[in-house]
């Protein structure tokens, strides 16, 4: 773990990434108890743990810094918070769950009757045993979140209310991990790190991003991959504000969230709607025959909102399982460790890897012998593939690559037009390039 | 009512437009008995009545005037026409219905046996009790239209035939009413005034146009609205010929016809097919959840034929209920006062008003804070709308307007992409504009 | 029949083309026994017979000539080939069917046990009574093709094997027939002539091309039609190589193959996908109400592969009945004279003629009176057509032609937009052109 200005030096682990589902689940378990918010030590502790898996460059941005249309807020930290009844028993206790306190609560220390306390209590009447997740980042307030059934059981009377928090000038913290590629063109992979004890939204996304970075770091991918671990909205805005000169390098991006529930995968397109990342995810999901959904862009959800704002308009989509606000457990205590599964996270990770493999190989070739078909047999290109069980497909793939390599079509176009798998098409392009018949 | 060269001075009525269906029906009843044609006093009498509702500027164009590829014909007027049997009884009588005489019949005064008369008699054998509507504008002829059952009842014998008409140099008459807008860009609303006693085709269209003009005149709309009351084909051609220097100002248009029958609404697109008026009507009809039909352009129907001729190619569509020639009563005596209803006319009027409200507000905005989302909360834009029951939709609408306000998309695009109502989107744009976040 | 450099002088027959299905079938019968390959006397004999129907210009291209990425191979000729058993009886005999020898077999004269012979024997186990068609053009080899049941009946023992062929420097032979048109813009119609005794693939294509040429030669079509009778792949490549300066004139093309089986027609689009020939065939097939299929381009099949290679990218589609490799009899002895029918060939021919009639008349007109509708009645254009039973359609067609004749739309666009038949639209354009209202 390094801080701004230094480059990561920790060597990337050499061990094979086995059973990533289990490892990701372990990471989620470790992160679960921490009380994250858009600033503060919970974020730092989270990044320290992630740094054990992939080396992070951590950035600390002072309160008050102007970032685009926003200003970095004061830093919030909390040590303890509870409501105690007249016997001194804690009926609501932050130590039991970080969800119990309204995020960014100002400090309070008072005794008051239940009636006076009620406006500060947040429940979910429709799910009486669940604790909701609530925040008040930009309007000073304090409050507690609790189960409706807990509230219903509270007798009238005086309660001691205490929130031992501080809201003071400090920093906003975010981190990056860069996997250098063969070209400076970047793919940004972003996940938010500002939610407290919620497993699917956001810990599964953090875990998948972490293991995706670790997998890519074992090779030299074509693109440079930049992983961003930042608080939602203000974190992405801060990164964008501080990297405006770099934005031109960002060719593609993916926001990861809700990556661990048992629902099927959902890809939400970039604002452009036909960005290369959109086409890659559509192709990978369709050809994988996984149940999935492709959604049009909407200016709501996660940090694709910022990356796709019209001034930037980056080709950044969002991959989730069940999407934003699409499940009852969303932003409640029921989004817990049981709500996510190792298998689901492994599946999300696998699709990301497939998608980036396609993205990295999706180049446009030019047929160097475009008048009539070149004589493949003379060059051993039928033989070269004759022994393979998919010889016929490989031959068709060569003809398709030759046909469409006019500088206008990439290999993904070839795969889509031909109905062949991207791998078959890419292998054909490699064989043709080796024979000097096409050039990237 | 003014004539060419003068501007209307009659003040627009101050009374509220209530129950317009009933008022429009009364107007149709008043106009029904008049014998209109493409020229003559019937048109003038019609325009005099309309002028009681909205002040008209009447134009008189002399016979022989060259108008585009056409020439203004002689003026036709008729005082009486009948067929009388040997006892002197009128068996067909123009006084009973203006439909009984072939439009533009030359004068005739003769006695002849039925056999000689027959070629001049027009009937509808498939509807024996209906009288057809027939004309012969450009080939000198005379004739009578009658019910097949009337014809069947005529005994052989001598008949007195008399048409007291004149066909002589005179004028073609049409009228305009202009509602000045905030900008000189014009919307032309056109209806034909050349059909005699036919209620749906054309009186309902005249009535809806009249009340639409009256409603718009109570406000200062964004566009300038030009209402055109003119005989079909030759009237539109005459207007186009005399206003060629103004055509560049005509940005949109709507031809109104068959506006009062009980069928559902039908919008026929302009020749362009994707003109703004086409998109507006499609959106308003779809979001109104009225049963309706959208038809592609065809070079047949009403005066959209002239406005959409390839040299002009204006964005002019046509709104009808049951379209041109789409009902058996079309161009027969069965298109009478029972065939139209106040409710249908009120519904047609309502859709026109909704459509023009959208057209007038459909502007392109530019997001002045396009890098990342602007902080709406700081500007009170969440609060501003917090008290409304549709607060969530209003907030989404602001995000959509910000996202798509790149100079390429208008508010109608935003409504269609977001699935939100145009009103919600336009209100969001107003709020954002007031906050200085977008600019039209 | 002329050879390179001379122009055909044989006058085109004057007799009416009657019952072309029967005549085409007779041509197929005559060509069936010949042993064609990509070079050699079988091709020459084939062209001599075709020349009896339409005069051909025959081209002889020497072995070793470089043609695009390829080289003209040695010429192959065969006089006899057989496998004889120990009694001297021919158990497989080229004299019985040209399919029995592997195409381009090198000469062999030997005696060997069945076990040694087996690797040179090709059968179709799934169709034990059929003889497959196999070749080895570019890898020196020899072999026999026979029915699986013939092979199964062969006792072990010694067999005399003899192939009396020659593979020597010579020529590749192809032929052209040009029907001069009113303009030098060319339509290339191509069929392959390299398959031995296979009736559907390729003789039916040769027959349809021949009779199509004969039909066109009776008139002076708008386009110049160039018929190409050439061996597959290497023949098309040779023609392209030798005519590169002419390619700019080739505006459209059609590859004919599998033209005689009883399946429905299949049109495979050019690589462009929206070439005029693609739209013409789609329209003609759709409006003919024949069952048919339209397929997207794929870089596999017949010589459209060469014409559509990305360097040329010509607007050349392919018309077949059941397409390439789409029937079990494909490339087997079951593709025999019973597999094709006179009716199917006549149907293929009829569609080609309809398509070329549309292609020849599909011009863009400009409305010379584009402001408003011109007054058709004054010019007798209603009268001119009044007597026809399709008067209403003819009138609509005139309005459509006037509406769309803006230089952007051709008559095929008019037919498709209007839903009228191409003939009706073209007749309307002729009438309007005669009246000076439109100009091509």
């Amino acid at each position: 773990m390094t801080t701004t200005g230094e480059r990561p030096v920790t060597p990337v682990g050499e061990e094979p990434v086995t059973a990533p589902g289990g490892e990701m689940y372990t990471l989620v378990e470790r992160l679960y108890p921490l009380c994250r918010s858009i600033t503060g030590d919970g974020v730092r502790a989270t990044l320290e743990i992630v740094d054990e898996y992939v080396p992070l460059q951590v950035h600390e941005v002072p309160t008050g810094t102007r970032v685009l249309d926003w200003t970095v807020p004061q830093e919030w930290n909390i040590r303890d918070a509870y409501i105690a009844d007249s016997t001194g028993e804690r009926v609501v206790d932050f130590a039991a769950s970080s969800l119990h306190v309204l995020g960014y609560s100002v400090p309070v220390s008072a005794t008051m009757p239940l009636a006076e306390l009620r406006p500060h209590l947040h429940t979910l009447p429709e799910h009486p045993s669940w604790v909701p997740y609530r925040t008040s980042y930009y309007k000073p307030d304090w409050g507690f979140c609790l189960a409706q059934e807990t509230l219903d059981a509270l007798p009238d009377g005086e309660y001691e209310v205490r929130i031992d928090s501080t809201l003071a000038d400090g920093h906003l913290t975010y981190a990056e991990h860069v996997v250098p590629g063969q070209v400076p063109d970047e793919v940004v992979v972003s996940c938010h790190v500002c939610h407290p004890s919620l497993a699917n939204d956001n810990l599964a996304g953090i875990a998948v991003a972490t293991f995706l970075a670790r997998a890519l770091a074992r090779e030299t991918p074509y693109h440079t991959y930049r992983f961003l671990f930042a608080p939602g909205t203000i974190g992405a805005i801060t990164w964008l504000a501080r990297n405006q000169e770099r934005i031109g390098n960002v060719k593609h991006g993916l926001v990861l969230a809700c990556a661990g529930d048992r629902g099927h995968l959902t890809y939400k397109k970039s604002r452009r709607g036909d960005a290369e990342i959109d086409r890659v995810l559509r192709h990978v999901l369709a050809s994988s025959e996984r149940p999935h959904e492709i959604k049009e862009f909407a200016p709501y959800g996660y940090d694709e909102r910022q990356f796709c704002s019209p001034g930037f308009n980056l080709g950044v989509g969002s991959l989730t399982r069940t999407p934003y606000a699409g499940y009852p457990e969303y932003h409640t205590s029921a989004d817990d460790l049981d709500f996510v599964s190792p298998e689901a996270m492994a599946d999300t990770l696998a699709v990301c890897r497939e998608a980036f493999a396609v993205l990295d190989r999706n180049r446009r070739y030019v047929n160097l012998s475009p008048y009539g078909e070149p004589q493949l047999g003379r060059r051993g290109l039928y033989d070269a593939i004759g022994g393979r069980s998919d010889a016929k497909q490989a031959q068709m793939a060569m003809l398709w690559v030759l046909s469409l390599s006019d500088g206008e079509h990439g290999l993904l176009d070839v795969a889509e037009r031909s109905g062949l798998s991207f791998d078959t098409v890419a292998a054909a392009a490699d064989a043709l390039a080796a024979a000097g018949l096409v050039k990237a």
Side-chain angles (χ1 to χ4, degrees), chain A:
Chain A
M1 185 144 143
T2 60
T3 52
T4 307
E6 307 172 35
R7 296 284 305 162
V9 292
T10 312
V12 171
E14 298 293 311
E15 76 286 2
V17 179
T18 52
E23 291 188 83
M24 287 189 285
Y25 192 83
T26 301
L27 174 54
V28 168
E29 285 179 311
R30 293 178 65 191
L31 298 173
Y32 186 71
L34 299 174
C35 180
R36 281 162 293 275
S37 187
I38 55 172
T39 61
D41 291 334
V43 174
R44 291 188 188 93
T46 297
L47 298 176
E48 273 170 32
I49 292 173
V50 170
D51 181 70
E52 297 176 21
Y53 297 80
V54 287
L56 297 181
Q57 182 177 21
V58 176
H59 302 266
E60 297 280 359
V61 183
T63 296
T65 305
R66 290 281 300 171
V67 285
L68 303 178
D69 188 62
W70 300 59
T71 304
V72 172
Q74 288 194 310
E75 182 177 326
W76 183 66
N77 283 292
I78 182 163
R79 286 155 296 278
D80 194 9
Y82 59 86
I83 301 171
D85 65 16
S86 57
T87 71
E89 189 189 352
R90 294 187 172 194
V91 296
V92 177
D93 189 355
F94 171 73
S97 166
S98 66
L99 294 176
H100 277 312
V101 73
L102 177 79
Y104 259 65
S105 278
V106 296
V108 62
S109 181
T111 300
M112 61 185 71
L114 183 58
E116 195 177 321
L117 182 54
R118 274 189 191 277
H120 294 276
L121 302 183
H122 303 273
T123 63
L124 287 169
E126 65 274 36
H127 294 290
S129 66
W130 296 357
V131 179
Y133 163 53
R134 295 285 182 272
T135 64
S136 184
Y137 296 140
Y138 295 101
K139 198 179 85 183
D141 196 3
W142 63 266
F144 289 86
C145 301
L146 64 161
Q148 180 67 42
E149 60 194 25
T150 304
L151 176 58
D152 292 342
L154 292 186
D156 281 342
E158 294 286 305
Y159 288 88
E160 182 193 356
V161 176
R162 182 165 166 75
I163 297 178
D164 178 13
S165 67
T166 48
L167 195 55
D169 285 358
H171 295 82
L172 176 142
T173 311
Y174 71 89
E176 293 176 280
H177 172 80
V178 176
V179 181
Q182 298 166 35
V183 295
D185 291 351
E186 285 193 7
V187 182
V188 167
V189 182
S190 162
C191 60
H192 60 290
V193 297
C194 54
H195 285 24
S197 301
L198 297 170
N200 194 39
D201 175 22
N202 49 201
L203 300 179
I206 296 171
V208 170
T210 301
F211 279 77
L212 190 51
R214 200 156 81 148
L216 285 165
R218 289 168 200 283
E219 58 203 39
T220 302
Y222 180 74
H223 292 94
T224 293
Y225 283 81
R226 179 175 301 272
F227 288 82
L228 185 56
F229 300 85
T233 305
I234 187 69
I237 284 169
T238 300
W239 185 85
L240 284 163
R242 289 161 56 96
N243 290 276
Q244 296 190 55
E245 84 296 335
R246 188 201 300 285
I247 297 299
N249 279 352
V250 177
K251 305 301 183 190
H252 321 279
L254 195 61
V255 171
L256 287 173
C258 301
D261 70 79
R262 290 166 178 83
H264 62 234
L265 283 158
T266 303
Y267 177 72
K268 174 180 150 183
K269 292 182 192 174
S270 75
R271 179 179 178 279
R272 294 183 190 168
D274 63 349
E276 193 172 339
I277 191 77
D278 300 325
R279 300 185 52 228
V280 165
L281 265 292
R282 186 183 62 192
H283 178 78
V284 165
L285 286 167
S287 57
S288 79
E289 301 186 1
R290 286 170 169 89
H292 68 276
E293 188 180 2
I294 306 287
K295 291 171 80 99
E296 294 301 318
F297 178 75
Y300 210 57
Y302 293 102
D303 283 332
E304 67 275 10
R305 292 164 65 160
Q306 311 309 326
F307 296 113
C308 296
S309 58
F312 296 116
N313 198 26
L314 297 173
V316 174
S318 169
L319 186 68
T320 61
R321 302 195 71 85
T322 306
Y324 184 88
Y327 45 98
E329 297 87 353
Y330 174 79
H331 277 197
T332 78
S333 59
D335 179 0
D336 62 10
L337 291 169
D338 290 337
F339 189 66
V340 299
S341 79
E343 293 74 20
M345 286 189 280
D347 184 62
T348 308
L349 178 65
V351 164
C352 291
R353 295 198 64 183
E354 289 171 40
F356 291 160
V358 170
L359 193 63
D360 276 0
R361 293 180 86 183
N362 183 30
R363 255 155 282 160
R364 292 182 181 191
Y365 288 82
V366 175
N367 181 339
L368 301 174
S369 182
Y371 295 98
E373 288 174 13
Q375 198 177 6
L376 298 177
R378 192 178 82 215
R379 294 172 175 87
L381 284 173
Y382 281 139
D383 283 349
I385 54 167
R388 296 166 55 179
S389 64
D390 60 350
K392 171 80 179 170
Q393 288 217 323
Q395 180 182 332
M396 285 304 297
M398 282 194 286
L399 292 175
W400 273 108
V401 171
L402 287 167
S403 180
L404 293 180
S405 289
D406 53 7
E408 299 291 314
H409 299 88
L411 294 186
L412 184 55
D413 295 305
V414 178
E416 294 195 337
R417 285 271 295 264
S418 68
L420 298 166
S421 80
F422 186 88
D423 280 352
T424 303
V425 166
D430 287 346
L432 291 168
L437 286 172
V438 299
K439 196 176 70 160

